[in-house]
Amino acid sequence: MERITQQKLAIAAVLEGAETPLTPPEILARASKAVPRLGVATVYRALRSLRKEKKIVVVEIPGEPPRYETATRGHHHHFFCNDCRRVFEVPDCSSKLAELAPPKFQVLDHEIILYGRCPDCQG
């Protein structure tokens, strides 16, 4: 059984309060406000532990570093801004996605990433 540390609690709180998936450096920057001497190795250890406990999930964008978010958000998709490289949640999911599969194929799961420009980068 792993012990619950102040560092791990701070990292979990950062992820719980985040509106978008975060990279380890972003997590470190935010969690350091609560735990000033927090190190990047501790962040990675805590992320590994939280994933093992199924409290967080990894969000993988091809060509980008992994990002993390809480597992409590349920099924959703992501939008990647090509300019600022931020990731945003897309809350809706079409129930007709299974119809895109070839005939006689069974869809078990799916993941969609939209690419483009966020409102901040458009103007």
Side-chain angles (χ1 to χ4, degrees):
M1 183 172 148
E2 290 192 42
R3 51 185 207 128
I4 299 172
T5 64
Q6 180 183 8
Q7 294 89 342
K8 186 175 173 182
L9 288 173
I11 291 164
V14 163
L15 289 168
E16 197 64 41
E19 294 181 9
T20 64
L22 300 174
T23 63
E26 291 170 329
I27 295 166
L28 175 63
R30 293 180 187 197
S32 291
K33 294 173 184 170
V35 183
R37 295 180 190 241
L38 184 65
V40 70
T42 303
V43 170
Y44 280 102
R45 276 194 303 277
L47 291 173
R48 189 169 37 253
S49 174
L50 290 166
R51 278 188 73 193
K52 185 177 176 183
E53 297 167 9
K54 299 186 186 310
K55 292 183 178 177
I56 64 170
V57 295
V58 65
V59 175
E60 302 213 40
I61 309 288
E64 289 293 309
R67 290 170 166 81
Y68 299 86
E69 65 185 5
T70 62
T72 60
R73 296 183 191 261
H75 179 76
H76 64 280
H77 301 289
H78 296 94
F79 180 97
F80 178 77
C81 179
N82 293 327
D83 292 353
C84 68
R85 321 224 43 94
R86 289 184 295 166
V87 175
F88 303 87
E89 288 189 9
V90 177
D92 294 328
C93 180
S94 172
S95 60
K96 297 184 179 194
L97 287 172
E99 297 174 12
L100 296 174
K104 299 183 182 179
F105 281 65
Q106 180 185 22
V107 176
L108 301 175
D109 199 5
H110 66 273
E111 183 176 326
I112 296 174
I113 304 168
L114 303 173
Y115 296 87
R117 284 194 183 108
C118 71
D120 292 343
C121 294
Q122 288 180 42

